[in-house]
Amino acid sequence: MPGNSFGNAFRITTFGESHGTAVGVIIDGVIPGVALSDEDIQVEMNRRKPGQSAVTTPRNESDRVSIVSGIFEGKTTGTPLTVILYNKDANPSAYTNIKDFYRPGHADFTYHQKYGIRDYRGSGRASGRETAGRVAAGAVAKKILAAQGIVITAYTLEAAGIRCESIDTSIIEDNPMRAADPAAAWKMTEKVTELSEKGDSAGGIVECIISGVPAGLGEPVFDKMDADLSKAVMSLGGVKGIEFGAGFSAAKMLGSEHNDWMDRRGFRTNNAGGVLGGITTGQDIVFRIAVKPTSSIEHPQQTVDIHGDETEIITTGRHDPCLTPRIVPVVESMSALVIIDHILRHRAQNSL
Amino acid sequence: MPGNSFGNAFRITTFGESHGTAVGVIIDGVIPGVALSDEDIQVEMNRRKPGQSAVTTPRNESDRVSIVSGIFEGKTTGTPLTVILYNKDANPSAYTNIKDFYRPGHADFTYHQKYGIRDYRGSGRASGRETAGRVAAGAVAKKILAAQGIVITAYTLEAAGIRCESIDTSIIEDNPMRAADPAAAWKMTEKVTELSEKGDSAGGIVECIISGVPAGLGEPVFDKMDADLSKAVMSLGGVKGIEFGAGFSAAKMLGSEHNDWMDRRGFRTNNAGGVLGGITTGQDIVFRIAVKPTSSIEHPQQTVDIHGDETEIITTGRHDPCLTPRIVPVVESMSALVIIDHILRHRAQNSL
Amino acid sequence: MPGNSFGNAFRITTFGESHGTAVGVIIDGVIPGVALSDEDIQVEMNRRKPGQSAVTTPRNESDRVSIVSGIFEGKTTGTPLTVILYNKDANPSAYTNIKDFYRPGHADFTYHQKYGIRDYRGSGRASGRETAGRVAAGAVAKKILAAQGIVITAYTLEAAGIRCESIDTSIIEDNPMRAADPAAAWKMTEKVTELSEKGDSAGGIVECIISGVPAGLGEPVFDKMDADLSKAVMSLGGVKGIEFGAGFSAAKMLGSEHNDWMDRRGFRTNNAGGVLGGITTGQDIVFRIAVKPTSSIEHPQQTVDIHGDETEIITTGRHDPCLTPRIVPVVESMSALVIIDHILRHRAQNSL
Amino acid sequence: MPGNSFGNAFRITTFGESHGTAVGVIIDGVIPGVALSDEDIQVEMNRRKPGQSAVTTPRNESDRVSIVSGIFEGKTTGTPLTVILYNKDANPSAYTNIKDFYRPGHADFTYHQKYGIRDYRGSGRASGRETAGRVAAGAVAKKILAAQGIVITAYTLEAAGIRCESIDTSIIEDNPMRAADPAAAWKMTEKVTELSEKGDSAGGIVECIISGVPAGLGEPVFDKMDADLSKAVMSLGGVKGIEFGAGFSAAKMLGSEHNDWMDRRGFRTNNAGGVLGGITTGQDIVFRIAVKPTSSIEHPQQTVDIHGDETEIITTGRHDPCLTPRIVPVVESMSALVIIDHILRHRAQNSL
């Protein structure tokens, strides 16, 4: 009932605070006999690591992952797989100035309201660092899915108002914005850097494409594939919206425009985004998410302290001026967790 | 693990197919001692009933609800509360023409892929009629929430390209589109009727406002309030997107614009939509959903039959040309279920 | 989180009170394509029906089951299968004399403490009638298991101090005590009838044997097969203990006696009861349960009323003088639910 | 759906293998603001530590616990509390001789059947060392419960056929058998030592008393307090049976003997063991468990290797000749987890 676990058959539980001792994840339900090393996970972890470029925070998290259970002689055993990352670059004193204040756009106020106590150091549990555990678990899921031909690719579709005009997924990892259009990538980088220098931040849109998913995955009626993906991705800090296929533009379409017709080769279009009635069609699953501009900015802002007194705050420290590049691997990870969970759930009921 | 239950502490399980014997819901976790009658549920059920106007399907579902457990002398006992609605207006023969075809935009193909068998009558389990159970449960939740000052109001913000210019919630139940602006309501109705007469359908946007929610509800990190609301609403057939507060427009905003500042009276703005870090701020929770145009249209459409042979199909029968008016009470219901679930979860951990 | 559901992949939720409108069950996770009729369920339901003999209560529950969802053209569809039984023989006035009293051995006091309200009619939700839903679900599970060669057989091993000397499972349904030894059955019947005539009741022991279970079922570490079976059976009213294989007598054994040796044909003995480390060995699963004497007796007993005042009570009405014969089909049902759930869970993780 | 988590509102997930890198636990749902240190947990951990006497294994596990998340400035924050214990005394080579054999009484065969791969070192996940995580979580639960006046006490009631004649809980921690009767403790120790010297082992019975529990805890109908305690304790390796109150002896009792009468001061007797209809009565909860003799013995035993060939095996190494003393703190821990979970669940539904 508490909210730190995700998934059913492939179930993860993350733990840890930004500046506590460690963060990590337990994965329960891993398929036995899968070859897996720390390095398989480290590769994905490095993609979410900050400090990779001017548009991401220069914190030097080493983020060395360590698998401490569930592996024997290089293979998964089917028992809980635990990945732990010790926090090395912690500098709690850097955060004492926010101890008594509620930073605008942050969860300081709400955690305090909820628990009456909060680990204010680097946002504690509400920090983006919590996603390290998600990415570790996602790496395991992605490896299993890849062996079945399922590939998940996310990228920055839009940032700071600049949108990719065309999509070339081969260049995503080659530009700091993880955009899929080289010209747009260049403009986004320039714009975001400029905003960053002014102490401000930018929002954006991330698109995710999941290909190779067989038809028939997803559970009616509450655990629809798109419902579960929505929850997965909306559970990431900074994500404020999600849409599948034609998405919000479907609101202006006619039924005769939106319906995806079929012929003997399958569906002709994909306005539905790869899901009908919550169950996969076998087409690409396509969704987009709205990412808010980073809350931590160096602009002076009005807020109150924990006693309710008004004050002005400037959030110094090391922060990404735009979250989209770093959220890309996390979105892929969350998607992978949903897909593998539904594969396992599906075959529980449907393979006798 | 199968997907027909929703919620944790206040947990519902729906059952039934559109043209089977009955549809309904079990609610487990109802607070004991609440005065409740069939009529309390019937009122909400009537709001989702088809045939209320020219823009909703003229099927004459009587939809008489019957509480068959969990009540004693007019009060809830804390044991499972079961609500059942027998299907009276079933006309299975009307659906035999779709027996062997996959209707575009429907879940015919995907259910068949998933289970190898499908109840094709009126879409079976994938029918909108499944939401009757949700609305019955939502009625119970809304009654409990109302006693605590929590009010949930949804309405059609946009339909067929026409958008409310202003919001007057008092008129929602007075117009067939359940719009919140009388002028827009009039135009929407006209436009949708016109489309209907041409055998086509329209999409739209529904906005939902939840007021009176205390600060501190929502569970980090996966079961964030907005993540759970997203799953709840995205699990409704025809919903293709959701956004909170500034939503997708946040993608184009700067951090200095998007952050909600606080003063001694609280938050000055609500770009976040009432949720920070997944936990409620005490402000209104505000979200919008994209509703696709109804899939059942009288336009001839290309599709295939269950043998893969190409064919043309016209979906006759009784269908809403625009789903937004009827989805309004369902969105309210799903929201109510999420809110009450989080209230119960919150006090489990935080009230010793 | 409320307690009216059981199972994970094959998940049931029961509802209803003894003298409310109806009792029943929803089963979520049923394998699609299984031929199933009301009659398949009715057969098992008839086995738990009271009034079958002098040693069971003469109430004339008709207990006609009706499947109201999840079936199409005689086959399961994979969607929730709902079975409902309307209460026909209700005679609430017969229970008004217990309205204000806590009957010894019953849950009257504890339900009142828990909820502050209780449906006192025929024990309400705490009635043995709640198990009708379990038996309905068990019938579905048993049918699926039987097709895989898994057979579950329970019987009265001991009642009123009389124990079966030998086990002949072919005679179980031929004697009112559902004992497995004809001589013991005769003596038990005589003894229980004698006690019944004196207004008293008897306890007993039920043994259950599950054969044909493949090796490898059960989940480490909490959801061990024996742990889940224990919970399943201990959740039945009147069951006060459970033991597997050698059970409590293992407490007096030496390791050299208790360990089951293996040879090339498999295990030579079965002191473990078919489970090692929580996982099935492929041998018969064998367990026994202690059943307390029926609480409702016509002896005058000391108790208090809801105001705490002392009083004397005689529980008249129609009650089984010994619960073991009627608990036999319920134990089989609960066992079937556990086994099928673990089959589905196992293949989710272990069949890629 | 995998089985490594336990509890609902106070939910634990354990991880780790006997000779892997580490073992531990995540607790989700901890009440915020509770003062807690490593030492609070270490105290309980020391009680389950081997090598405390001649009757427990002389392995020198240091078992230093470390809380790595969920704590801030000495208090719980309400976020997941993770406790980790690194395995220091691992000597994998000591186990290579069992690599290819199925030890009688162990889970070697069944894990292999389930997963097709097994970490054979020191029984891997099936090792008693897995319970370290349970005890760590139990320590947290016990601390919270103690503050509410709930005390859990387990002890060896019987071992090697010797039974406590009287119960004096003050001496439990003063004798190596954790018996509650000094004379019996002496005899047990002597007998178990003698058996140990012969390379054999002994079984026993552990009794557990939970006092101070308020009336009204436990969820009808599946998650009864006694059902959940049964699952909790039956999930411990080596436990083969459980009984509440009069337990198996109830099978021979009459209703007029077994029913607990009430007077104005409450219940006069406690044959029910503190639970009626699955809900606590406010009396002591009393249960007993059957513990099998330790499987690892130095007797030569018949078994097969992983190829099915017959062989003889002697399990050398360091093992407890009787499990009861070390299982005592684990039983207390599992009980504490069940009680606190039900307190939180109860107040979710019943405290508006």
Side-chain angles (χ1 to χ4, degrees):
Chain A
M1 212 182 50
N4 295 284
S5 296
F6 184 80
N8 293 268
F10 194 93
R11 184 166 179 81
I12 73 167
T13 304
T14 69
F15 63 90
E17 283 80 34
S18 179
H19 289 72
T21 306
V23 296
V25 68
I26 297 181
I27 318 171
D28 201 5
V30 178
I31 293 159
V34 177
L36 190 77
S37 67
D38 284 4
E39 204 47 39
D40 288 323
I41 295 171
Q42 192 67 50
V43 168
E44 282 297 316
M45 199 59 65
N46 291 346
R47 291 181 67 212
R48 73 161 285 290
K49 206 162 59 171
Q52 301 177 74
S53 76
V55 297
T56 58
T57 158
R59 274 188 297 175
N60 185 18
E61 300 181 17
S62 67
D63 270 355
R64 289 305 307 176
V65 306
S66 176
I67 303 177
V68 301
S69 71
I71 289 284
F72 182 58
E73 296 181 344
K75 286 190 177 165
T76 59
T77 58
T79 60
L81 195 140
T82 306
V83 181
I84 193 161
L85 295 90
Y86 282 89
N87 293 323
K88 298 239 176 74
D89 188 32
N91 180 14
S93 66
Y95 292 97
T96 43
N97 67 320
I98 57 165
K99 180 182 171 184
D100 296 327
F101 302 96
Y102 300 135
R103 290 167 298 161
H106 280 276
D108 302 340
F109 172 73
T110 54
Y111 267 66
H112 204 166
Q113 289 290 315
K114 183 169 195 67
Y115 297 118
I117 180 176
R118 76 185 162 102
D119 181 348
Y120 53 78
R121 301 168 302 171
S123 297
R125 182 81 182 135
S127 165
R129 182 150 175 79
E130 177 272 331
T131 63
R134 304 185 188 213
V135 169
V140 178
K142 284 172 90 167
K143 182 159 190 187
I144 298 170
L145 292 177
Q148 300 188 50
I150 300 172
V151 176
I152 303 172
T153 311
Y155 45 82
T156 298
L157 179 68
E158 181 184 314
I162 298 150
R163 197 174 180 105
C164 295
E165 303 282 317
S166 59
I167 302 301
D168 176 359
T169 57
S170 71
I171 68 147
I172 298 166
E173 295 300 311
D174 298 336
N175 71 83
M177 289 302 297
R178 287 207 170 94
D181 167 353
W186 174 257
K187 284 185 220 161
M188 287 176 194
T189 307
E190 215 169 26
K191 181 71 179 165
V192 169
T193 306
E194 182 193 317
L195 285 167
S196 175
E197 282 162 7
K198 289 182 187 161
D200 215 328
S201 63
I205 292 174
V206 168
E207 187 165 70
C208 184
I209 296 173
I210 311 173
S211 61
V213 181
L217 299 184
E219 297 294 325
V221 297
F222 296 105
D223 296 356
K224 289 184 162 79
M225 179 59 84
D226 39 355
D228 276 359
L229 283 167
S230 294
K231 170 163 174 162
V233 175
M234 292 297 293
S235 76
L236 297 169
V239 179
K240 302 304 290 181
I242 184 167
E243 59 176 14
F244 284 79
F248 273 87
S249 69
K252 295 195 197 304
M253 294 168 79
L254 303 181
S256 55
E257 295 168 328
H258 186 272
N259 281 346
D260 298 309
W261 292 5
M262 297 184 82
D263 60 26
R264 72 190 66 218
R265 282 152 311 177
F267 290 95
R268 292 190 192 165
T269 51
N270 191 8
N271 286 315
V275 184
L276 278 174
I279 303 175
T280 55
T281 62
Q283 299 170 277
D284 285 356
I285 299 175
V286 181
F287 65 85
R288 284 169 299 283
I289 59 170
V291 180
K292 74 173 185 181
T294 314
S295 298
S296 294
I297 53 176
E298 296 197 15
H299 261 268
Q301 299 182 89
Q302 297 296 319
T303 190
V304 295
D305 63 21
I306 58 174
H307 310 294
D309 292 326
E310 299 185 355
T311 184
E312 199 177 83
I313 196 168
I314 293 178
T315 313
T316 56
R318 304 152 300 183
H319 302 286
D320 302 294
C322 180
L323 295 172
T324 64
R326 285 188 67 201
I327 221 170
V328 158
V330 190
V331 167
E332 291 177 6
S333 292
M334 291 309 295
S335 299
L337 293 171
V338 173
I339 299 294
I340 196 164
D341 190 45
H342 274 286
I343 289 175
L344 302 197
R345 292 171 72 174
H346 177 76
R347 71 185 190 189
Q349 188 179 10
N350 297 291
S351 56
L352 259 192
Chain B
M1 212 183 51
N4 296 284
S5 297
F6 184 79
N8 294 267
F10 194 93
R11 184 165 179 84
I12 73 166
T13 304
T14 70
F15 62 89
E17 284 79 34
S18 179
H19 289 73
T21 306
V23 296
V25 67
I26 297 180
I27 319 171
D28 201 5
V30 178
I31 292 159
V34 177
L36 190 78
S37 67
D38 285 4
E39 205 46 41
D40 287 322
I41 296 172
Q42 193 66 50
V43 169
E44 282 297 316
M45 199 60 66
N46 291 346
R47 290 183 67 212
R48 74 161 285 290
K49 205 162 62 170
Q52 300 177 75
S53 75
V55 297
T56 57
T57 156
R59 274 186 297 174
N60 185 17
E61 301 182 17
S62 67
D63 271 355
R64 290 305 307 176
V65 306
S66 176
I67 303 176
V68 301
S69 72
I71 288 284
F72 182 57
E73 297 180 345
K75 287 190 178 166
T76 60
T77 58
T79 61
L81 195 140
T82 305
V83 182
I84 193 161
L85 295 90
Y86 282 89
N87 293 323
K88 299 238 175 76
D89 190 31
N91 180 12
S93 67
Y95 293 97
T96 44
N97 68 321
I98 57 165
K99 181 182 171 185
D100 296 326
F101 301 97
Y102 299 136
R103 290 167 298 162
H106 280 276
D108 302 341
F109 172 73
T110 53
Y111 267 67
H112 204 168
Q113 290 290 315
K114 182 169 196 66
Y115 296 118
I117 180 177
R118 77 187 161 99
D119 181 346
Y120 54 77
R121 301 167 302 170
S123 299
R125 183 80 182 135
S127 164
R129 183 150 174 79
E130 177 271 331
T131 62
R134 305 185 188 214
V135 169
V140 179
K142 284 172 90 168
K143 181 158 191 189
I144 297 170
L145 293 176
Q148 300 189 50
I150 300 173
V151 176
I152 304 173
T153 311
Y155 44 81
T156 299
L157 180 67
E158 181 184 316
I162 298 151
R163 198 175 180 105
C164 294
E165 304 282 318
S166 59
I167 302 301
D168 176 358
T169 58
S170 73
I171 68 147
I172 298 167
E173 296 299 311
D174 298 337
N175 72 83
M177 289 302 298
R178 285 207 170 95
D181 167 351
W186 175 256
K187 285 184 219 160
M188 287 176 192
T189 307
E190 215 168 26
K191 179 73 179 163
V192 169
T193 306
E194 182 193 316
L195 285 167
S196 175
E197 282 162 6
K198 289 182 189 163
D200 214 330
S201 64
I205 292 174
V206 168
E207 186 165 72
C208 183
I209 296 172
I210 311 172
S211 61
V213 180
L217 299 184
E219 296 295 326
V221 298
F222 295 105
D223 296 357
K224 288 182 162 81
M225 180 58 85
D226 38 355
D228 276 359
L229 283 167
S230 294
K231 169 164 175 163
V233 175
M234 292 297 293
S235 76
L236 296 170
V239 178
K240 302 303 290 182
I242 185 167
E243 60 176 13
F244 285 78
F248 273 87
S249 70
K252 296 195 196 306
M253 293 168 80
L254 303 180
S256 55
E257 295 167 328
H258 187 271
N259 282 346
D260 297 309
W261 292 5
M262 296 185 83
D263 61 26
R264 73 191 67 217
R265 283 152 310 177
F267 291 94
R268 291 190 194 166
T269 51
N270 191 8
N271 285 314
V275 184
L276 277 174
I279 304 174
T280 55
T281 62
Q283 298 169 278
D284 284 356
I285 299 175
V286 181
F287 65 85
R288 283 169 300 282
I289 59 170
V291 180
K292 74 174 185 180
T294 314
S295 299
S296 296
I297 53 176
E298 298 197 14
H299 262 269
Q301 299 182 89
Q302 298 295 319
T303 191
V304 295
D305 63 19
I306 57 174
H307 311 293
D309 293 325
E310 297 184 356
T311 185
E312 199 176 82
I313 196 168
I314 292 178
T315 313
T316 55
R318 304 151 301 183
H319 303 285
D320 301 294
C322 180
L323 295 172
T324 63
R326 285 187 67 201
I327 221 170
V328 158
V330 190
V331 167
E332 291 177 6
S333 292
M334 292 308 296
S335 300
L337 293 171
V338 172
I339 299 295
I340 195 164
D341 190 45
H342 274 286
I343 289 174
L344 302 197
R345 292 171 73 175
H346 177 75
R347 70 186 191 188
Q349 187 179 12
N350 297 290
S351 56
L352 259 192
Chain C
M1 215 184 48
N4 296 285
S5 297
F6 184 80
N8 294 266
F10 193 93
R11 184 168 178 82
I12 73 166
T13 304
T14 69
F15 63 89
E17 284 81 33
S18 179
H19 290 73
T21 306
V23 297
V25 67
I26 298 181
I27 318 171
D28 200 5
V30 178
I31 293 159
V34 178
L36 190 77
S37 67
D38 285 3
E39 205 46 39
D40 288 322
I41 295 171
Q42 193 66 51
V43 168
E44 282 297 316
M45 199 59 66
N46 291 346
R47 291 181 66 212
R48 74 161 284 291
K49 205 162 62 171
Q52 300 177 74
S53 76
V55 297
T56 57
T57 156
R59 275 187 297 175
N60 186 18
E61 300 182 17
S62 68
D63 270 357
R64 289 305 307 176
V65 306
S66 177
I67 304 176
V68 301
S69 71
I71 289 283
F72 181 59
E73 297 180 344
K75 287 190 177 166
T76 59
T77 59
T79 61
L81 195 140
T82 306
V83 182
I84 193 162
L85 295 90
Y86 282 89
N87 294 323
K88 299 236 177 75
D89 189 31
N91 180 12
S93 67
Y95 293 97
T96 43
N97 66 320
I98 57 166
K99 181 181 173 184
D100 296 326
F101 302 96
Y102 299 136
R103 290 167 298 162
H106 280 276
D108 303 340
F109 172 74
T110 53
Y111 267 67
H112 205 167
Q113 290 290 314
K114 182 169 196 67
Y115 297 118
I117 180 175
R118 76 186 161 100
D119 181 347
Y120 53 79
R121 301 168 301 172
S123 297
R125 182 79 181 135
S127 165
R129 183 151 174 78
E130 177 272 333
T131 63
R134 305 185 188 213
V135 169
V140 179
K142 285 172 88 168
K143 181 159 190 189
I144 297 169
L145 293 177
Q148 300 189 48
I150 300 172
V151 176
I152 303 172
T153 311
Y155 45 82
T156 299
L157 179 68
E158 182 184 315
I162 298 151
R163 197 175 180 106
C164 295
E165 304 282 317
S166 59
I167 302 301
D168 176 359
T169 57
S170 72
I171 68 148
I172 297 166
E173 296 298 311
D174 298 337
N175 72 83
M177 289 302 298
R178 286 206 171 96
D181 168 351
W186 176 257
K187 284 184 220 162
M188 287 175 193
T189 307
E190 213 168 28
K191 180 73 178 164
V192 169
T193 306
E194 182 193 318
L195 286 168
S196 175
E197 282 161 7
K198 289 182 187 161
D200 216 328
S201 64
I205 293 174
V206 168
E207 186 165 71
C208 184
I209 296 173
I210 311 172
S211 61
V213 180
L217 299 184
E219 297 293 326
V221 296
F222 295 106
D223 296 356
K224 290 183 161 79
M225 180 59 84
D226 39 354
D228 276 359
L229 283 167
S230 294
K231 170 164 173 162
V233 175
M234 292 296 294
S235 77
L236 297 170
V239 179
K240 302 304 289 182
I242 186 168
E243 59 176 13
F244 284 78
F248 273 88
S249 70
K252 295 195 198 304
M253 294 169 80
L254 303 180
S256 55
E257 295 167 327
H258 188 271
N259 281 347
D260 298 309
W261 292 4
M262 297 184 82
D263 60 27
R264 73 190 67 217
R265 283 152 309 177
F267 290 95
R268 291 191 193 164
T269 50
N270 192 7
N271 285 315
V275 185
L276 278 174
I279 303 174
T280 54
T281 62
Q283 298 170 278
D284 284 357
I285 299 174
V286 181
F287 65 84
R288 283 170 299 283
I289 59 170
V291 180
K292 74 173 185 181
T294 314
S295 298
S296 295
I297 54 175
E298 297 197 15
H299 262 266
Q301 300 182 89
Q302 298 296 319
T303 191
V304 295
D305 64 20
I306 57 174
H307 310 293
D309 292 325
E310 299 186 354
T311 184
E312 199 177 84
I313 196 169
I314 292 178
T315 315
T316 56
R318 304 153 300 183
H319 302 287
D320 301 295
C322 181
L323 295 171
T324 63
R326 286 187 67 200
I327 222 171
V328 158
V330 189
V331 167
E332 291 177 5
S333 292
M334 292 308 297
S335 299
L337 293 170
V338 172
I339 300 294
I340 197 164
D341 190 46
H342 274 285
I343 289 175
L344 303 196
R345 293 171 74 175
H346 177 76
R347 72 185 190 188
Q349 187 179 12
N350 296 291
S351 56
L352 260 191
Chain D
M1 214 184 50
N4 295 284
S5 296
F6 185 79
N8 294 267
F10 194 93
R11 184 167 178 82
I12 73 166
T13 304
T14 69
F15 62 89
E17 285 80 34
S18 179
H19 290 73
T21 306
V23 296
V25 68
I26 298 181
I27 319 171
D28 200 4
V30 178
I31 293 158
V34 177
L36 190 77
S37 67
D38 285 4
E39 206 44 41
D40 288 322
I41 296 172
Q42 192 66 50
V43 169
E44 282 297 316
M45 199 59 67
N46 291 347
R47 290 181 68 211
R48 73 161 285 289
K49 205 162 62 170
Q52 300 177 75
S53 76
V55 297
T56 58
T57 156
R59 276 186 296 176
N60 185 18
E61 301 182 17
S62 68
D63 271 356
R64 289 306 307 176
V65 306
S66 177
I67 303 175
V68 302
S69 72
I71 289 284
F72 182 58
E73 297 181 343
K75 286 190 179 165
T76 59
T77 58
T79 61
L81 195 141
T82 305
V83 181
I84 194 161
L85 295 90
Y86 283 89
N87 293 325
K88 298 236 175 78
D89 189 31
N91 180 13
S93 67
Y95 293 97
T96 43
N97 67 321
I98 57 166
K99 180 181 172 185
D100 296 326
F101 301 96
Y102 299 137
R103 291 167 297 161
H106 280 277
D108 302 341
F109 172 74
T110 53
Y111 268 67
H112 204 168
Q113 290 290 315
K114 183 170 195 67
Y115 297 118
I117 180 176
R118 77 187 161 100
D119 181 347
Y120 54 79
R121 302 167 302 172
S123 298
R125 183 79 180 136
S127 165
R129 184 152 174 78
E130 178 271 331
T131 62
R134 305 184 188 214
V135 169
V140 178
K142 284 172 90 169
K143 182 159 190 188
I144 298 170
L145 293 177
Q148 299 189 49
I150 299 173
V151 176
I152 304 173
T153 310
Y155 45 82
T156 299
L157 179 68
E158 182 184 316
I162 297 151
R163 198 175 180 104
C164 294
E165 304 282 319
S166 59
I167 302 301
D168 175 358
T169 57
S170 73
I171 68 148
I172 298 167
E173 296 299 311
D174 298 336
N175 71 83
M177 290 301 299
R178 284 204 172 98
D181 167 352
W186 175 256
K187 284 183 220 161
M188 288 175 192
T189 308
E190 215 168 24
K191 180 72 178 165
V192 169
T193 307
E194 182 193 316
L195 285 168
S196 175
E197 282 162 7
K198 289 182 187 161
D200 215 328
S201 64
I205 293 174
V206 168
E207 186 165 71
C208 183
I209 296 173
I210 311 172
S211 62
V213 180
L217 300 184
E219 296 294 325
V221 298
F222 296 106
D223 296 356
K224 289 182 162 79
M225 179 58 84
D226 38 354
D228 276 0
L229 283 167
S230 294
K231 170 164 175 163
V233 175
M234 292 296 294
S235 77
L236 296 170
V239 177
K240 302 303 290 181
I242 185 168
E243 59 176 14
F244 284 78
F248 273 87
S249 70
K252 296 195 197 305
M253 293 168 80
L254 303 181
S256 55
E257 295 168 326
H258 187 271
N259 281 347
D260 297 308
W261 291 4
M262 298 184 82
D263 62 25
R264 72 191 66 218
R265 284 152 308 177
F267 290 94
R268 291 191 193 164
T269 52
N270 191 8
N271 286 315
V275 184
L276 277 175
I279 304 174
T280 55
T281 61
Q283 298 169 278
D284 284 356
I285 300 175
V286 181
F287 65 85
R288 283 169 299 283
I289 59 170
V291 180
K292 74 173 184 181
T294 315
S295 299
S296 296
I297 53 175
E298 298 197 13
H299 261 269
Q301 299 182 89
Q302 297 296 320
T303 190
V304 295
D305 64 20
I306 58 174
H307 311 295
D309 294 325
E310 299 185 355
T311 185
E312 199 176 85
I313 196 168
I314 292 178
T315 313
T316 55
R318 303 152 302 184
H319 303 286
D320 301 294
C322 181
L323 295 171
T324 63
R326 286 187 68 199
I327 222 169
V328 159
V330 190
V331 167
E332 291 178 5
S333 292
M334 292 307 296
S335 301
L337 293 170
V338 172
I339 300 293
I340 196 164
D341 190 45
H342 274 285
I343 289 175
L344 302 196
R345 292 171 74 175
H346 178 76
R347 71 187 190 187
Q349 187 179 12
N350 296 291
S351 54
L352 260 191

